Every structure is written in structure tokens, then in C-alpha cells.
Amino acid sequence: MVKKQITGEEIKRIIEEENVRFLRLMFTDILGTIKNVEVPVSQIDKVLENKMMFDGSSIEGFVRIEESDMYLYPDLSTWMIFPWESAHGKVARLICDIYNPDGTPFAGDPRGNLKRALSDMRELGFTSFNLGPEPEFFLFKLDEDGGITTTLNDKGGYFDFAPTDLGENCRRDIVLELESLGFEVEASHHEVAPGQHEIDFKYADVVDACDNIQTFKLVVKTIARKHGLHATFMPKPLYGINGSGMHCNMSLFNEDGNAFYDKEGDLELSQTAYHFLGGLLHHARAYTAVCNPTVNSYKRLVPGYEAPVYVAWSGHNRSPLVRVPESRGVSTRLELRSVDPSANPYLAMAVLLQAGLDGIRHELTPPDAVDRNIYVMNEEEREAAQIQDLPSTIHNAIKELRKDEVMIDALGQHIFSNFVEAKRLEWAAFRQTVSEWEREQYLELY
């Protein structure tokens, strides 16, 4: 979405003209969950003066009870009035950065941490890091009591249209709401699996793009409810069909334009692009923990369902981890295909940016492109081509993350420690459960 610079006085005027009654001060916790503090508009002066406090000890991975006071600093460029009406007047939002009482940025704020990565980027002479995300989601029916079912709302497939695609009306309403909020929607279509959809919006500077992802999730879930549906960004909600990814199209810019483009380069890619690619491949096993952060994420990262499983790249085929889309010039970019929509976008982009910058700093060279279908290669062929596997579980991914100092630094010690502890507990809880599959396999046999 196109953000406009706006002043506090303009916000006050809009509040009066539009009958805005409540403000949602939004931020994202370490696990990627959107949080908000809602205040009446009578508090607008306090909000604009960065004096709005909240209890950080109640937020996952933030701070202990004895150091709980945190401050919300609103980013005025994120001002937005929600399009759905409220009986008590309109509701607007501001996305906020989190600060300590002494006025320093809070190390556990994912959005602030991404800004820290951008300062490292600028030190290397780049001006911006752009992201074009491709988030996918499923639509499930609600029951008579509004409970979530696992019944899909259609039997559609890739690019199908009504009547097969019964989610089309819901998806169209989502697109209309997004456009009313300033999103430039580039594509909207049914995905491969029944009940699965994708809506792509125009690339933006990475912080804005991550803000857009969080706003997008909120809009999708809200509009789906109005259609009697539940939208989920869970990576693999059903066995036997494709899971949901969030392919990330990334490009670095400098004062001369797109730093990934070189008309004279191999595939018209610059050395900067190849070094960035080298960093993405070198750190892939470690950042997978952040880009695929749930137990369920690894049910998607298996052969046979179009999701990447192997650390490789190609300018043509879609089975490797990184693909180079055909567009060149200002649109030259690298597409990372492993990320799923359960990822905290701010953390995912911080580790991906730092992985690429590490490749640039150390002039890492990627192995040769793999232009054949990796899924049909045997283990010896993959080893000969220097193709590693991605981690198979969140447990293994966390072990890889623990070994990678560049990725640890990309998160910062506070976020790293709290993220790893949360995932340790998640894996421990998962290991203790007994699944229906296990009962089917072993109950009678043993």
C-alpha cells in the first residue's frame, strides 16, 4: 500500500471529520502475533507525544514482570481507518515501535530489530531493501455455532473460476477492502489445493511490506468471517494437498537503481546479486527456523507438494530454494520459496537481509545453478551438486540456528533467546502428544 506522510494535526482533523472514536495501537510480538492497545480518541495527544505505556510482561518474549513498563511510539505513516463499520464509531490504527522507559529502542521489538538490520545495509552503501510477498491461505467453513471446521469451501484448483471456486466472492471482497486501504493488488487467484487462495500485492520497502503483511492477514481473516468462513495462514492444515507458502521476492537498491541488475552479467545479474544469493544459500539451514517457525511448517517442506526441500538455486525451474524470476531491469529480484505465512515477517526479513549482506561482505559465491528437477535426483547426485537438505523439523532447524552467529546477531540476543525457548517448549509439547496416525499404525500391531 502507498503510505503518505501525515502529521499529528492532520490526524486530529481526520478524527473529527470521520467520527473516529477509538485508536488501535498495534505491534507484533516475537511469535508474529498482532497485538494492540485500544484507547479512546480522547488520548490522542498522549499517543502523539509517545507517552502511551503498556505492560510488556504480558507479551510473549518481551520482558519480565519487574521491568514491564514499555512505551508505544506510533509511526504516523501507518495511520489507517478500518473500513468495517462499528456501532460505536470508526476505529483507526497506528503501527508502533516499542521503546524502553529511558527512550532507547526495545531490543525485543521485531519491527525495531528489522530497522537495525537496515542500518547495517545502509553502511554497505545500499539505500533500500524491497520485498514483494506472495502469501497463501486456506478458507474453511464455520459451523452453525461459528466454530472452525476442516471442511473446505470449494473444490477449486490453480486459477479455477466460479462455480468451482466458491471462495471467489470472498476473495473479491478481500481485494476490494485491500484496495480501499491503499494496497496495489497485482494478482488474485485460486491456488493449487482446494480451498487455497493467493493474493499478491506490489512490492514495497521492507518495513512497509512487513506492515502490509500484518495488515493483510487482519483484513483476510475479518472479511472471511463475514462470509461465514475461517481464513488460516497455517502452513499445512490438511494432509495430502499442498501447503501454504509466502514466497519472498527480494531486491537491494542503491543510488544507481536496482543493485541486483547488470545487463552484462551472467543471467543479467550483478556480482552483488550473486553474493547476496551466496549468503542466502550459506545460511539457509539456520534461518529456516525463523522463516518456518512452527512444528506444522515442516509438514509443508516435504517432497511432492511444490515446496522447496533442498538448498539450491535456479534461473528457471521451481524446485530449488531460490529462483530468479524472468523480469530484469528495475524488477530484477531473487525469490525465496521456503518462507511460510506463519513466520513473523519482521524477523524473517531481518535474517534474510543479514544473510544476504553477509554474502556481500565476504563475497560468497553460490554453487552452480540446478536447472533440473531436484525431486528426481538421488542422494549421490544431490551431493555431487553440493545440494543440502533443509532441516526436517523445527527441532533440527533450531539446532542449526544455534550454530550460526550471523543469524543470532541478526535477531539480537534478546529475540534469539526468547524465540529459541518458545520453540523448545513447542517441540516438547508436540513430542508428548500421540497422533491418530500412530494409533492407526501401532495400536493393533504391537
Side-chain angles (χ1 to χ4, degrees):
M1 61 192 292
V2 179
K3 292 189 178 181
K4 299 177 181 177
Q5 294 305 312
I6 189 170
T7 66
E9 290 305 313
E10 288 174 307
I11 287 175
K12 289 182 181 180
R13 176 179 55 79
I14 294 169
I15 286 172
E16 286 289 328
E17 293 175 354
E18 299 289 336
N19 189 32
V20 175
R21 301 295 299 276
F22 290 94
L23 303 173
R24 283 188 183 175
L25 307 178
M26 296 173 58
F27 57 96
T28 298
D29 71 10
I30 286 175
L31 298 184
T33 306
I34 301 170
K35 302 290 186 179
N36 77 96
V37 175
E38 187 167 278
V39 299
V41 292
S42 59
Q43 300 296 305
I44 185 60
D45 287 330
K46 194 173 179 181
V47 170
L48 294 174
E49 292 169 5
N50 301 330
K51 293 181 179 178
M52 191 58 62
M53 293 174 59
F54 74 101
D55 179 7
S57 66
S58 62
I59 305 299
E60 179 72 45
F62 268 30
V63 289
R64 298 184 297 265
I65 192 75
E66 64 270 21
E67 50 191 27
S68 60
D69 289 343
M70 315 293 292
Y71 283 84
L72 294 164
Y73 282 33
D75 180 343
L76 301 191
S77 72
T78 65
W79 167 262
M80 186 186 83
I81 300 175
F82 288 119
W84 38 90
E85 293 290 331
S86 168
H88 305 292
K90 294 180 180 178
V91 179
R93 76 98 199 263
L94 285 163
I95 295 176
C96 300
D97 294 315
I98 312 300
Y99 277 72
N100 298 310
D102 64 2
T104 57
F106 171 49
D109 175 20
R111 193 173 189 262
N113 183 69
L114 176 55
K115 291 182 176 181
R116 181 173 66 89
L118 288 173
S119 68
D120 290 346
M121 174 202 75
R122 284 188 283 270
E123 286 182 6
L124 289 178
F126 301 102
T127 55
S128 63
F129 180 49
N130 285 346
L131 166 65
E134 301 176 9
E136 297 169 344
F137 58 94
F138 278 87
L139 293 174
F140 289 99
K141 291 181 179 178
L142 299 176
D143 63 23
E144 293 179 355
D145 299 321
I148 300 167
T149 74
T150 54
T151 304
L152 295 167
N153 75 304
D154 66 59
K155 295 182 173 65
Y158 202 47
F159 288 110
D160 275 354
F161 57 91
T164 308
D165 177 7
L166 300 179
E168 186 173 291
N169 289 338
C170 177
R171 196 173 65 238
R172 185 183 296 121
D173 283 353
I174 291 169
V175 170
L176 291 173
E177 291 284 13
L178 291 170
E179 288 185 331
S180 74
L181 295 174
F183 279 75
E184 186 175 333
V185 176
E186 295 188 326
S188 165
H189 59 85
H190 201 289
E191 258 297 335
V192 174
Q196 188 183 34
H197 304 268
E198 179 179 317
I199 298 175
D200 304 333
F201 38 94
K202 186 176 176 64
Y203 73 86
D205 179 74
V206 67
V207 174
D208 293 344
C210 291
D211 291 345
N212 291 346
I213 291 168
Q214 296 298 74
T215 303
F216 172 80
K217 290 181 177 179
L218 192 61
V219 171
V220 168
K221 286 180 172 290
T222 301
I223 301 306
R225 281 275 163 174
K226 292 186 176 182
H227 284 260
L229 301 169
H230 172 70
T232 181
F233 292 91
M234 180 180 177
K236 185 84 168 187
L238 295 175
Y239 167 75
I241 61 176
N242 285 25
S244 290
M246 187 172 70
H247 300 168
C248 290
N249 294 271
M250 298 172 284
S251 54
L252 274 176
F253 277 68
N254 56 29
E255 292 179 352
D256 297 323
N258 191 327
F260 283 179
Y261 176 63
D262 180 357
K263 187 168 178 57
E264 306 304 320
D266 187 28
L267 294 180
E268 296 187 52
L269 295 180
S270 67
Q271 283 302 303
T272 296
Y274 280 111
H275 294 325
F276 194 98
L277 172 58
L280 287 179
L281 298 178
H282 181 73
H283 295 286
R285 286 177 58 81
Y287 64 61
T288 297
V290 180
C291 295
N292 306 92
T294 68
V295 165
N296 181 254
S297 295
Y298 298 82
K299 305 296 177 72
R300 168 180 168 260
L301 298 180
V302 294
Y305 295 98
E306 298 189 8
V309 182
Y310 306 111
V311 182
W313 75 281
S314 174
H316 305 288
N317 98 65
R318 292 172 181 264
S319 61
L321 178 69
V322 182
R323 184 175 76 95
V324 183
E326 294 291 341
S327 301
R328 291 296 181 267
V330 71
S331 299
T332 307
R333 61 195 188 274
L334 301 176
E335 178 189 36
L336 182 72
R337 299 173 58 80
S338 61
V339 186
D340 72 53
S342 69
N344 180 327
Y346 303 102
L347 296 187
M349 297 317 299
V351 294
L352 294 178
L353 174 57
Q354 293 287 23
L357 294 180
D358 187 59
I360 292 170
R361 287 190 190 96
H362 295 96
E363 298 185 353
L364 299 181
T365 302
D368 292 339
V370 179
D371 293 328
R372 58 178 292 201
N373 187 348
I374 304 175
Y375 298 131
V376 302
M377 297 169 68
N378 61 37
E379 189 171 345
E380 290 75 21
E381 289 174 315
R382 293 198 301 272
E383 284 184 6
Q386 303 178 53
I387 299 173
Q388 290 184 300
D389 294 6
L390 287 175
S392 58
T393 65
I394 185 63
H395 173 67
N396 290 337
I398 288 294
K399 287 200 290 187
E400 294 292 331
L401 178 61
R402 286 179 183 272
K403 296 186 291 187
D404 194 317
E405 291 298 329
V406 173
M407 295 295 90
I408 293 171
D409 184 63
L411 295 171
Q413 193 59 49
H414 181 104
I415 291 177
F416 167 74
S417 299
N418 283 277
F419 179 83
V420 166
E421 177 62 12
K423 295 298 130 181
R424 185 189 67 79
L425 294 173
E426 183 179 338
W427 179 250
F430 172 69
R431 288 180 63 201
Q432 293 171 33
T433 61
V434 179
S435 68
E436 189 59 35
W437 183 90
E438 291 167 279
R439 281 187 285 270
E440 290 175 357
Q441 295 291 318
Y442 308 130
L443 194 62
E444 183 177 348
L445 183 62
Y446 297 104

PDB file of all heavy atoms in Angstrom, residues 250-278:
ATOM      1  N   MET A 250      12.904 -10.489  -3.306  1.00  0.00           N
ATOM      2  CA  MET A 250      13.761  -9.510  -2.644  1.00  0.00           C
ATOM      3  C   MET A 250      14.710  -8.828  -3.620  1.00  0.00           C
ATOM      4  O   MET A 250      15.219  -9.461  -4.544  1.00  0.00           O
ATOM      5  CB  MET A 250      14.581 -10.209  -1.553  1.00  0.00           C
ATOM      6  CG  MET A 250      13.745 -10.833  -0.459  1.00  0.00           C
ATOM      7  SD  MET A 250      14.747 -11.848   0.677  1.00  0.00           S
ATOM      8  CE  MET A 250      15.005 -13.314  -0.325  1.00  0.00           C
ATOM      9  N   SER A 251      14.954  -7.536  -3.388  1.00  0.00           N
ATOM     10  CA  SER A 251      15.920  -6.797  -4.208  1.00  0.00           C
ATOM     11  C   SER A 251      16.534  -5.669  -3.386  1.00  0.00           C
ATOM     12  O   SER A 251      15.861  -5.059  -2.552  1.00  0.00           O
ATOM     13  CB  SER A 251      15.250  -6.229  -5.461  1.00  0.00           C
ATOM     14  OG  SER A 251      14.119  -5.444  -5.128  1.00  0.00           O
ATOM     15  N   LEU A 252      17.812  -5.445  -3.625  1.00  0.00           N
ATOM     16  CA  LEU A 252      18.540  -4.341  -2.983  1.00  0.00           C
ATOM     17  C   LEU A 252      18.701  -3.194  -3.971  1.00  0.00           C
ATOM     18  O   LEU A 252      18.962  -3.418  -5.161  1.00  0.00           O
ATOM     19  CB  LEU A 252      19.937  -4.799  -2.552  1.00  0.00           C
ATOM     20  CG  LEU A 252      20.118  -5.468  -1.203  1.00  0.00           C
ATOM     21  CD1 LEU A 252      21.575  -5.914  -1.054  1.00  0.00           C
ATOM     22  CD2 LEU A 252      19.730  -4.546  -0.054  1.00  0.00           C
ATOM     23  N   PHE A 253      18.558  -1.974  -3.474  1.00  0.00           N
ATOM     24  CA  PHE A 253      18.731  -0.791  -4.326  1.00  0.00           C
ATOM     25  C   PHE A 253      19.842   0.087  -3.761  1.00  0.00           C
ATOM     26  O   PHE A 253      20.073   0.140  -2.552  1.00  0.00           O
ATOM     27  CB  PHE A 253      17.425   0.012  -4.399  1.00  0.00           C
ATOM     28  CG  PHE A 253      16.451  -0.521  -5.407  1.00  0.00           C
ATOM     29  CD1 PHE A 253      15.830  -1.753  -5.222  1.00  0.00           C
ATOM     30  CD2 PHE A 253      16.148   0.192  -6.560  1.00  0.00           C
ATOM     31  CE1 PHE A 253      14.940  -2.256  -6.150  1.00  0.00           C
ATOM     32  CE2 PHE A 253      15.256  -0.304  -7.501  1.00  0.00           C
ATOM     33  CZ  PHE A 253      14.654  -1.526  -7.300  1.00  0.00           C
ATOM     34  N   ASN A 254      20.528   0.774  -4.675  1.00  0.00           N
ATOM     35  CA  ASN A 254      21.458   1.820  -4.288  1.00  0.00           C
ATOM     36  C   ASN A 254      21.119   3.083  -5.078  1.00  0.00           C
ATOM     37  O   ASN A 254      20.070   3.139  -5.737  1.00  0.00           O
ATOM     38  CB  ASN A 254      22.914   1.384  -4.502  1.00  0.00           C
ATOM     39  CG  ASN A 254      23.180   0.955  -5.944  1.00  0.00           C
ATOM     40  OD1 ASN A 254      22.530   1.433  -6.876  1.00  0.00           O
ATOM     41  ND2 ASN A 254      24.142   0.063  -6.123  1.00  0.00           N
ATOM     42  N   GLU A 255      21.979   4.080  -5.015  1.00  0.00           N
ATOM     43  CA  GLU A 255      21.668   5.358  -5.675  1.00  0.00           C
ATOM     44  C   GLU A 255      21.555   5.217  -7.188  1.00  0.00           C
ATOM     45  O   GLU A 255      20.947   6.051  -7.861  1.00  0.00           O
ATOM     46  CB  GLU A 255      22.716   6.403  -5.311  1.00  0.00           C
ATOM     47  CG  GLU A 255      22.670   6.812  -3.844  1.00  0.00           C
ATOM     48  CD  GLU A 255      23.741   7.829  -3.492  1.00  0.00           C
ATOM     49  OE1 GLU A 255      24.613   8.094  -4.359  1.00  0.00           O
ATOM     50  OE2 GLU A 255      23.714   8.352  -2.360  1.00  0.00           O
ATOM     51  N   ASP A 256      22.138   4.165  -7.752  1.00  0.00           N
ATOM     52  CA  ASP A 256      22.079   3.955  -9.202  1.00  0.00           C
ATOM     53  C   ASP A 256      20.885   3.122  -9.636  1.00  0.00           C
ATOM     54  O   ASP A 256      20.660   2.921 -10.831  1.00  0.00           O
ATOM     55  CB  ASP A 256      23.370   3.269  -9.681  1.00  0.00           C
ATOM     56  CG  ASP A 256      24.593   4.134  -9.445  1.00  0.00           C
ATOM     57  OD1 ASP A 256      24.477   5.371  -9.597  1.00  0.00           O
ATOM     58  OD2 ASP A 256      25.660   3.581  -9.093  1.00  0.00           O
ATOM     59  N   GLY A 257      20.115   2.605  -8.665  1.00  0.00           N
ATOM     60  CA  GLY A 257      18.951   1.784  -9.011  1.00  0.00           C
ATOM     61  C   GLY A 257      19.042   0.396  -8.419  1.00  0.00           C
ATOM     62  O   GLY A 257      19.604   0.204  -7.329  1.00  0.00           O
ATOM     63  N   ASN A 258      18.517  -0.593  -9.134  1.00  0.00           N
ATOM     64  CA  ASN A 258      18.485  -1.966  -8.639  1.00  0.00           C
ATOM     65  C   ASN A 258      19.896  -2.557  -8.644  1.00  0.00           C
ATOM     66  O   ASN A 258      20.490  -2.773  -9.698  1.00  0.00           O
ATOM     67  CB  ASN A 258      17.550  -2.813  -9.517  1.00  0.00           C
ATOM     68  CG  ASN A 258      17.255  -4.177  -8.913  1.00  0.00           C
ATOM     69  OD1 ASN A 258      18.084  -4.765  -8.250  1.00  0.00           O
ATOM     70  ND2 ASN A 258      16.056  -4.684  -9.151  1.00  0.00           N
ATOM     71  N   ALA A 259      20.420  -2.847  -7.463  1.00  0.00           N
ATOM     72  CA  ALA A 259      21.794  -3.340  -7.333  1.00  0.00           C
ATOM     73  C   ALA A 259      21.940  -4.792  -7.762  1.00  0.00           C
ATOM     74  O   ALA A 259      23.060  -5.301  -7.857  1.00  0.00           O
ATOM     75  CB  ALA A 259      22.265  -3.185  -5.883  1.00  0.00           C
ATOM     76  N   PHE A 260      20.836  -5.473  -8.021  1.00  0.00           N
ATOM     77  CA  PHE A 260      20.887  -6.868  -8.470  1.00  0.00           C
ATOM     78  C   PHE A 260      20.988  -6.978 -10.000  1.00  0.00           C
ATOM     79  O   PHE A 260      21.216  -8.064 -10.520  1.00  0.00           O
ATOM     80  CB  PHE A 260      19.652  -7.639  -8.007  1.00  0.00           C
ATOM     81  CG  PHE A 260      19.663  -8.032  -6.547  1.00  0.00           C
ATOM     82  CD1 PHE A 260      18.585  -8.713  -5.997  1.00  0.00           C
ATOM     83  CD2 PHE A 260      20.739  -7.735  -5.732  1.00  0.00           C
ATOM     84  CE1 PHE A 260      18.585  -9.089  -4.660  1.00  0.00           C
ATOM     85  CE2 PHE A 260      20.756  -8.095  -4.397  1.00  0.00           C
ATOM     86  CZ  PHE A 260      19.670  -8.775  -3.854  1.00  0.00           C
ATOM     87  N   TYR A 261      20.815  -5.869 -10.709  1.00  0.00           N
ATOM     88  CA  TYR A 261      20.752  -5.919 -12.174  1.00  0.00           C
ATOM     89  C   TYR A 261      22.071  -5.479 -12.800  1.00  0.00           C
ATOM     90  O   TYR A 261      22.645  -4.469 -12.407  1.00  0.00           O
ATOM     91  CB  TYR A 261      19.626  -5.019 -12.680  1.00  0.00           C
ATOM     92  CG  TYR A 261      19.530  -4.935 -14.189  1.00  0.00           C
ATOM     93  CD1 TYR A 261      19.249  -6.064 -14.953  1.00  0.00           C
ATOM     94  CD2 TYR A 261      19.733  -3.717 -14.845  1.00  0.00           C
ATOM     95  CE1 TYR A 261      19.168  -5.988 -16.331  1.00  0.00           C
ATOM     96  CE2 TYR A 261      19.644  -3.629 -16.228  1.00  0.00           C
ATOM     97  CZ  TYR A 261      19.373  -4.771 -16.966  1.00  0.00           C
ATOM     98  OH  TYR A 261      19.293  -4.701 -18.340  1.00  0.00           O
ATOM     99  N   ASP A 262      22.550  -6.268 -13.749  1.00  0.00           N
ATOM    100  CA  ASP A 262      23.719  -5.913 -14.547  1.00  0.00           C
ATOM    101  C   ASP A 262      23.504  -6.491 -15.940  1.00  0.00           C
ATOM    102  O   ASP A 262      23.546  -7.714 -16.127  1.00  0.00           O
ATOM    103  CB  ASP A 262      24.995  -6.477 -13.927  1.00  0.00           C
ATOM    104  CG  ASP A 262      26.249  -6.125 -14.730  1.00  0.00           C
ATOM    105  OD1 ASP A 262      26.112  -5.484 -15.799  1.00  0.00           O
ATOM    106  OD2 ASP A 262      27.356  -6.500 -14.297  1.00  0.00           O
ATOM    107  N   LYS A 263      23.265  -5.626 -16.909  1.00  0.00           N
ATOM    108  CA  LYS A 263      22.947  -6.082 -18.262  1.00  0.00           C
ATOM    109  C   LYS A 263      24.051  -6.960 -18.845  1.00  0.00           C
ATOM    110  O   LYS A 263      23.791  -7.851 -19.659  1.00  0.00           O
ATOM    111  CB  LYS A 263      22.698  -4.870 -19.173  1.00  0.00           C
ATOM    112  CG  LYS A 263      22.193  -5.239 -20.568  1.00  0.00           C
ATOM    113  CD  LYS A 263      21.690  -4.034 -21.313  1.00  0.00           C
ATOM    114  CE  LYS A 263      21.241  -4.396 -22.723  1.00  0.00           C
ATOM    115  NZ  LYS A 263      20.191  -5.435 -22.736  1.00  0.00           N
ATOM    116  N   GLU A 264      25.283  -6.734 -18.395  1.00  0.00           N
ATOM    117  CA  GLU A 264      26.408  -7.506 -18.928  1.00  0.00           C
ATOM    118  C   GLU A 264      26.684  -8.772 -18.118  1.00  0.00           C
ATOM    119  O   GLU A 264      27.520  -9.593 -18.501  1.00  0.00           O
ATOM    120  CB  GLU A 264      27.678  -6.636 -18.939  1.00  0.00           C
ATOM    121  CG  GLU A 264      27.527  -5.312 -19.667  1.00  0.00           C
ATOM    122  CD  GLU A 264      27.071  -5.478 -21.110  1.00  0.00           C
ATOM    123  OE1 GLU A 264      27.561  -6.423 -21.759  1.00  0.00           O
ATOM    124  OE2 GLU A 264      26.206  -4.704 -21.559  1.00  0.00           O
ATOM    125  N   GLY A 265      26.013  -8.945 -16.996  1.00  0.00           N
ATOM    126  CA  GLY A 265      26.297 -10.079 -16.126  1.00  0.00           C
ATOM    127  C   GLY A 265      25.643 -11.371 -16.596  1.00  0.00           C
ATOM    128  O   GLY A 265      24.724 -11.364 -17.420  1.00  0.00           O
ATOM    129  N   ASP A 266      26.138 -12.487 -16.066  1.00  0.00           N
ATOM    130  CA  ASP A 266      25.539 -13.783 -16.360  1.00  0.00           C
ATOM    131  C   ASP A 266      24.096 -13.779 -15.860  1.00  0.00           C
ATOM    132  O   ASP A 266      23.827 -13.423 -14.701  1.00  0.00           O
ATOM    133  CB  ASP A 266      26.346 -14.888 -15.667  1.00  0.00           C
ATOM    134  CG  ASP A 266      25.893 -16.275 -16.072  1.00  0.00           C
ATOM    135  OD1 ASP A 266      25.378 -16.427 -17.194  1.00  0.00           O
ATOM    136  OD2 ASP A 266      26.049 -17.197 -15.255  1.00  0.00           O
ATOM    137  N   LEU A 267      23.151 -14.155 -16.721  1.00  0.00           N
ATOM    138  CA  LEU A 267      21.708 -14.058 -16.449  1.00  0.00           C
ATOM    139  C   LEU A 267      21.281 -12.612 -16.190  1.00  0.00           C
ATOM    140  O   LEU A 267      20.207 -12.377 -15.633  1.00  0.00           O
ATOM    141  CB  LEU A 267      21.305 -14.937 -15.259  1.00  0.00           C
ATOM    142  CG  LEU A 267      21.419 -16.445 -15.412  1.00  0.00           C
ATOM    143  CD1 LEU A 267      20.984 -17.154 -14.131  1.00  0.00           C
ATOM    144  CD2 LEU A 267      20.577 -16.938 -16.583  1.00  0.00           C
ATOM    145  N   GLU A 268      22.121 -11.658 -16.566  1.00  0.00           N
ATOM    146  CA  GLU A 268      21.893 -10.221 -16.317  1.00  0.00           C
ATOM    147  C   GLU A 268      21.793  -9.913 -14.823  1.00  0.00           C
ATOM    148  O   GLU A 268      21.113  -8.979 -14.414  1.00  0.00           O
ATOM    149  CB  GLU A 268      20.644  -9.720 -17.062  1.00  0.00           C
ATOM    150  CG  GLU A 268      20.769  -9.800 -18.585  1.00  0.00           C
ATOM    151  CD  GLU A 268      19.602  -9.158 -19.310  1.00  0.00           C
ATOM    152  OE1 GLU A 268      19.290  -8.000 -19.014  1.00  0.00           O
ATOM    153  OE2 GLU A 268      19.008  -9.848 -20.165  1.00  0.00           O
ATOM    154  N   LEU A 269      22.500 -10.715 -14.026  1.00  0.00           N
ATOM    155  CA  LEU A 269      22.578 -10.476 -12.589  1.00  0.00           C
ATOM    156  C   LEU A 269      23.943  -9.882 -12.255  1.00  0.00           C
ATOM    157  O   LEU A 269      24.956 -10.259 -12.845  1.00  0.00           O
ATOM    158  CB  LEU A 269      22.398 -11.777 -11.807  1.00  0.00           C
ATOM    159  CG  LEU A 269      21.047 -12.476 -11.907  1.00  0.00           C
ATOM    160  CD1 LEU A 269      21.070 -13.753 -11.071  1.00  0.00           C
ATOM    161  CD2 LEU A 269      19.915 -11.562 -11.449  1.00  0.00           C
ATOM    162  N   SER A 270      23.961  -8.972 -11.288  1.00  0.00           N
ATOM    163  CA  SER A 270      25.200  -8.338 -10.859  1.00  0.00           C
ATOM    164  C   SER A 270      25.969  -9.249  -9.916  1.00  0.00           C
ATOM    165  O   SER A 270      25.431 -10.236  -9.383  1.00  0.00           O
ATOM    166  CB  SER A 270      24.886  -7.024 -10.147  1.00  0.00           C
ATOM    167  OG  SER A 270      24.212  -7.287  -8.917  1.00  0.00           O
ATOM    168  N   GLN A 271      27.232  -8.918  -9.669  1.00  0.00           N
ATOM    169  CA  GLN A 271      28.003  -9.642  -8.665  1.00  0.00           C
ATOM    170  C   GLN A 271      27.371  -9.480  -7.284  1.00  0.00           C
ATOM    171  O   GLN A 271      27.400 -10.399  -6.463  1.00  0.00           O
ATOM    172  CB  GLN A 271      29.454  -9.148  -8.656  1.00  0.00           C
ATOM    173  CG  GLN A 271      30.289  -9.679  -9.801  1.00  0.00           C
ATOM    174  CD  GLN A 271      30.323 -11.204  -9.822  1.00  0.00           C
ATOM    175  OE1 GLN A 271      30.717 -11.840  -8.839  1.00  0.00           O
ATOM    176  NE2 GLN A 271      29.909 -11.797 -10.933  1.00  0.00           N
ATOM    177  N   THR A 272      26.789  -8.320  -7.031  1.00  0.00           N
ATOM    178  CA  THR A 272      26.086  -8.103  -5.761  1.00  0.00           C
ATOM    179  C   THR A 272      24.969  -9.121  -5.592  1.00  0.00           C
ATOM    180  O   THR A 272      24.786  -9.696  -4.507  1.00  0.00           O
ATOM    181  CB  THR A 272      25.505  -6.677  -5.705  1.00  0.00           C
ATOM    182  OG1 THR A 272      26.575  -5.727  -5.715  1.00  0.00           O
ATOM    183  CG2 THR A 272      24.667  -6.463  -4.454  1.00  0.00           C
ATOM    184  N   ALA A 273      24.205  -9.347  -6.664  1.00  0.00           N
ATOM    185  CA  ALA A 273      23.107 -10.323  -6.607  1.00  0.00           C
ATOM    186  C   ALA A 273      23.643 -11.724  -6.317  1.00  0.00           C
ATOM    187  O   ALA A 273      23.076 -12.463  -5.498  1.00  0.00           O
ATOM    188  CB  ALA A 273      22.323 -10.314  -7.917  1.00  0.00           C
ATOM    189  N   TYR A 274      24.753 -12.091  -6.977  1.00  0.00           N
ATOM    190  CA  TYR A 274      25.304 -13.423  -6.767  1.00  0.00           C
ATOM    191  C   TYR A 274      25.854 -13.589  -5.347  1.00  0.00           C
ATOM    192  O   TYR A 274      25.707 -14.648  -4.726  1.00  0.00           O
ATOM    193  CB  TYR A 274      26.382 -13.725  -7.809  1.00  0.00           C
ATOM    194  CG  TYR A 274      25.805 -14.150  -9.134  1.00  0.00           C
ATOM    195  CD1 TYR A 274      25.895 -13.326 -10.258  1.00  0.00           C
ATOM    196  CD2 TYR A 274      25.152 -15.376  -9.272  1.00  0.00           C
ATOM    197  CE1 TYR A 274      25.352 -13.712 -11.479  1.00  0.00           C
ATOM    198  CE2 TYR A 274      24.600 -15.770 -10.484  1.00  0.00           C
ATOM    199  CZ  TYR A 274      24.704 -14.932 -11.582  1.00  0.00           C
ATOM    200  OH  TYR A 274      24.157 -15.319 -12.776  1.00  0.00           O
ATOM    201  N   HIS A 275      26.471 -12.538  -4.814  1.00  0.00           N
ATOM    202  CA  HIS A 275      26.973 -12.618  -3.439  1.00  0.00           C
ATOM    203  C   HIS A 275      25.807 -12.706  -2.448  1.00  0.00           C
ATOM    204  O   HIS A 275      25.876 -13.465  -1.464  1.00  0.00           O
ATOM    205  CB  HIS A 275      27.859 -11.422  -3.117  1.00  0.00           C
ATOM    206  CG  HIS A 275      29.140 -11.383  -3.899  1.00  0.00           C
ATOM    207  ND1 HIS A 275      29.838 -12.521  -4.242  1.00  0.00           N
ATOM    208  CD2 HIS A 275      29.854 -10.326  -4.408  1.00  0.00           C
ATOM    209  CE1 HIS A 275      30.919 -12.184  -4.922  1.00  0.00           C
ATOM    210  NE2 HIS A 275      30.958 -10.869  -5.040  1.00  0.00           N
ATOM    211  N   PHE A 276      24.744 -11.916  -2.688  1.00  0.00           N
ATOM    212  CA  PHE A 276      23.554 -11.974  -1.831  1.00  0.00           C
ATOM    213  C   PHE A 276      22.965 -13.385  -1.886  1.00  0.00           C
ATOM    214  O   PHE A 276      22.611 -13.971  -0.856  1.00  0.00           O
ATOM    215  CB  PHE A 276      22.522 -10.940  -2.292  1.00  0.00           C
ATOM    216  CG  PHE A 276      21.416 -10.676  -1.314  1.00  0.00           C
ATOM    217  CD1 PHE A 276      21.477  -9.580  -0.459  1.00  0.00           C
ATOM    218  CD2 PHE A 276      20.294 -11.506  -1.240  1.00  0.00           C
ATOM    219  CE1 PHE A 276      20.443  -9.323   0.453  1.00  0.00           C
ATOM    220  CE2 PHE A 276      19.275 -11.265  -0.344  1.00  0.00           C
ATOM    221  CZ  PHE A 276      19.350 -10.161   0.501  1.00  0.00           C
ATOM    222  N   LEU A 277      22.877 -13.937  -3.097  1.00  0.00           N
ATOM    223  CA  LEU A 277      22.388 -15.300  -3.282  1.00  0.00           C
ATOM    224  C   LEU A 277      23.278 -16.298  -2.538  1.00  0.00           C
ATOM    225  O   LEU A 277      22.777 -17.229  -1.879  1.00  0.00           O
ATOM    226  CB  LEU A 277      22.352 -15.635  -4.776  1.00  0.00           C
ATOM    227  CG  LEU A 277      22.049 -17.073  -5.186  1.00  0.00           C
ATOM    228  CD1 LEU A 277      20.704 -17.527  -4.639  1.00  0.00           C
ATOM    229  CD2 LEU A 277      22.091 -17.202  -6.709  1.00  0.00           C
ATOM    230  N   GLY A 278      24.582 -16.093  -2.617  1.00  0.00           N
ATOM    231  CA  GLY A 278      25.507 -16.957  -1.889  1.00  0.00           C
ATOM    232  C   GLY A 278      25.239 -16.939  -0.395  1.00  0.00           C
ATOM    233  O   GLY A 278      25.285 -17.983   0.276  1.00  0.00           O
TER     234      GLY A 278
END
